[in-house]
């Protein structure tokens, strides 16, 4: 049987009764949109992260967009972020009226090189979107120091960092507003799309609630321009149950990562590095090799299917050519894009499946003379 980079079926079977009970509860409640499960999940997830307010929305992309808008981003404002992220990060900035500006990455962690952050700031810069990539946090102390000095908003993109911590603080509690995705592959994922914005500001939270609901506080009357960006009651109910399992999900991911570390330490691969002060939640286990594509081909031949997050830096994509970047502008980002890949890792991956992936990887490297 092939070993895939991700799968949900074993997890679903293990949690099936709990999940179906949550769905049945919603369907029998008579309240399908913005009901008690959304309100409860907002309270429970924000409490888990140590933040005062949570506002559920329809996906992680809109979570970033709404966070920026609710914090006051205006058309034409520049937003500093990274290019080695999922397209939705940058798509959301543009949808909010912002102009993305990119900072290169640290080659060891693939996170924003905060030492370069200040070089990207101009008089038009209004915000920083710090992307907590692959399961660990950006150096938020450094981001906040620069942002506070320049009076910039800070938004965390936590789509890949549920439960990760930075010096004891949970991802999502380190900024003016934080955006989460609950897409199925995420550390905390539902069976469809979902998102949330966390904030410590009552005013920002109130604006978020209007923005996700057509700009309304009362039905049929818009106080401002808004969107249809609500978290569904069914997904909120499912996520409430899964939130109880989140510590166990993370512990299992960390255990699997430790097994990879031990089994692959003597190979030619560059293995994941955890930044000082971080607790890594291992959304992905990202390895690196200068002959990445040959390694992936060998793994496929041996029935192991990996992923590349992400093969094309956003600043090199035709969809964002108007931003004026060219290849060579972000050298560490570009080098990483040609060398990184993600090994199979998710809580219901068995040790036997992981051992198959490890053996296939070692055989592939041997065949390549590595």
């Amino acid at each position: 049987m092939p070993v895939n980079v991700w799968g949900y079926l074993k997890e679903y079977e293990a949690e099936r009764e709990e999940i179906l009970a949550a769905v049945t509860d919603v369907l029998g409640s008579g309240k399908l949109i913005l009901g008690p499960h959304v309100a409860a999940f907002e309270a429970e997830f924000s409490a888990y992260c140590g933040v005062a307010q949570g506002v559920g929305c329809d996906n992680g992309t809109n979570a970033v967009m709404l966070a920026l808008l609710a914090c006051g981003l205006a058309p034409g404002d520049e937003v500093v972020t990274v290019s080695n992220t999922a397209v939705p990060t940058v798509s959301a900035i543009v949808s909010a009226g912002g102009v993305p500006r990119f900072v290169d990455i640290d080659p060891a962690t693939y996170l924003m090189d905060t030492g370069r952050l200040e070089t990207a700031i101009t008089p038009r810069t209004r915000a920083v979107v710090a992307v907590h990539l692959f399961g660990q946090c950006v150096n938020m102390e450094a981001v906040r120091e620069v942002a506070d000095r320049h009076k910039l908003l800070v938004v965390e993109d936590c789509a890949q960092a549920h439960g990760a911590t930075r010096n004891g603080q949970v991802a999502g509690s380190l900024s003016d507003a934080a955006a989460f995705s609950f897409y199925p592959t995420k550390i905390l994922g539902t069976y469809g799309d979902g998102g949330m914005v966390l904030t410590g500001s009552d005013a920002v939270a109130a604006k978020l609630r209007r923005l996700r609901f057509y700009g309304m506080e009362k039905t049929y009357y818009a106080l401002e321009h808004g969107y249809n960006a609500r978290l569904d009651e069914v997904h909120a109910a499912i996520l409430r149950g899964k939130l109880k399992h989140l510590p166990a999900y993370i512990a299992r991911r960390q255990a699997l990562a430790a097994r990879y570390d031990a089994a692959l330490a003597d190979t030619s691969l560059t293995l994941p590095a955890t930044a000082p002060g971080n607790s890594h939640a291992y959304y992905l286990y990202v390895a690196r090799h200068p002959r990445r594509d040959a390694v992936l081909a060998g793994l496929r031949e041996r029935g192991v299917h990996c992923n590349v997050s992400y093969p094309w830096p956003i600043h090199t994509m035709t969809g964002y050519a108007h931003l004026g970047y060219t290849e060579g502008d972000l050298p560490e980002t570009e080098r990483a894009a040609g060398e990184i890949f993600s090994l199979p890792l998710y809580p219901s991956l068995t040790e036997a499946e992981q051992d198959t992936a490890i053996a296939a990887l070692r055989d592939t490297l041997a065949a390549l003379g590595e």
Side-chain angles (χ1 to χ4, degrees):
M1 294 292 291
V3 179
N4 294 316
V5 72
W6 177 79
Y8 74 91
L9 291 175
K10 291 197 295 287
E11 178 184 280
Y12 172 67
E13 285 303 318
E15 299 175 12
R16 177 174 178 154
E17 289 186 12
E18 183 179 337
I19 292 162
L20 294 182
V23 173
T24 299
D25 182 66
V26 172
L27 297 182
S29 72
K31 184 68 174 177
L32 300 177
I33 303 295
L34 294 181
H37 285 290
V38 169
F41 180 57
E42 290 171 339
E44 291 159 3
F45 187 69
S46 59
Y48 171 87
C49 295
V51 183
Q53 298 264 16
V55 180
C57 61
D58 55 342
N59 56 62
T61 310
N62 279 342
V64 176
M65 181 189 75
L66 296 176
L68 289 167
L69 289 171
C71 287
L73 193 78
D77 285 346
E78 293 183 352
V79 180
V80 181
T81 192
V82 290
S83 180
N84 71 319
T85 181
V87 169
T89 304
V90 175
S91 172
I93 292 169
V94 173
S95 294
V99 179
R101 292 289 176 243
F102 298 117
V103 177
D104 212 350
I105 61 170
D106 176 87
T109 63
Y110 315 117
L111 300 169
M112 177 186 286
D113 183 345
T114 56
R116 298 176 183 268
L117 175 57
E118 200 150 21
T119 66
I121 294 172
T122 75
R124 295 178 60 192
T125 305
R126 173 65 171 149
V128 178
V129 173
V131 182
H132 300 325
L133 202 65
F134 304 149
Q136 67 172 323
C137 296
V138 175
N139 180 347
M140 293 302 292
E141 297 87 353
V143 171
R144 291 254 47 150
E145 191 278 326
V146 173
D148 290 349
R149 190 149 30 84
H150 291 272
K151 297 181 173 57
L152 305 178
L153 299 166
V154 178
V155 171
E156 295 168 82
D157 182 342
C158 302
Q160 300 186 7
H162 311 72
T165 64
R166 172 78 187 163
N167 292 322
Q169 291 185 266
V170 181
S173 66
L174 303 162
S175 57
D176 299 297
F180 286 83
S181 168
F182 303 115
Y183 186 74
T185 62
K186 304 304 184 186
I187 298 171
L188 179 62
T190 185
Y191 295 94
D193 273 313
M196 188 175 292
V197 182
L198 303 184
T199 181
S201 166
D202 291 346
V204 170
K207 188 172 181 68
L208 285 165
R209 295 184 195 283
R210 292 193 298 273
L211 289 174
R212 73 172 177 186
F213 186 49
Y214 309 107
M216 298 177 183
E217 289 182 352
K218 296 181 179 179
T219 303
Y220 303 124
Y221 190 94
L223 295 167
E224 58 186 304
H225 175 68
Y227 307 87
N228 180 3
R230 301 165 298 206
L231 177 63
D232 285 337
E233 187 76 356
V234 167
H235 290 310
I238 292 170
L239 286 163
R240 291 186 69 196
K242 291 174 74 69
L243 179 59
K244 299 172 186 176
H245 300 294
L246 182 55
Y249 295 157
I250 293 170
R252 177 61 176 167
R253 288 174 179 273
Q254 291 171 334
L256 290 169
R259 293 187 85 245
Y260 275 135
D261 287 345
L264 301 173
D266 63 341
T267 69
S268 55
L269 295 167
T270 299
L271 302 181
T274 301
N278 279 355
S279 173
H280 203 313
Y282 288 100
Y283 170 60
L284 299 176
Y285 187 92
V286 177
R288 184 170 185 166
H289 196 279
R291 299 173 68 188
R292 188 266 312 281
D293 292 346
V295 172
L296 290 179
L299 287 170
R300 282 194 299 271
E301 291 172 2
R302 292 165 173 82
V304 176
H305 301 278
C306 297
N307 191 43
V308 178
S309 301
Y310 300 94
W312 300 285
I314 293 173
H315 73 282
T316 68
M317 297 180 183
T318 57
Y320 296 99
H322 65 281
L323 297 175
Y325 290 88
T326 60
E327 290 192 28
D329 286 343
L330 302 171
E332 295 296 347
T333 296
E334 293 164 29
R335 274 192 285 271
E339 297 180 356
I340 62 174
F341 63 103
S342 304
L343 290 171
L345 191 151
Y346 52 96
S348 56
L349 182 76
T350 67
E351 292 185 1
E353 289 170 327
Q354 186 182 31
D355 288 341
T356 297
I358 290 166
L361 185 50
R362 295 187 70 92
D363 289 348
T364 296
L365 293 171
L368 293 173
E370 296 289 342

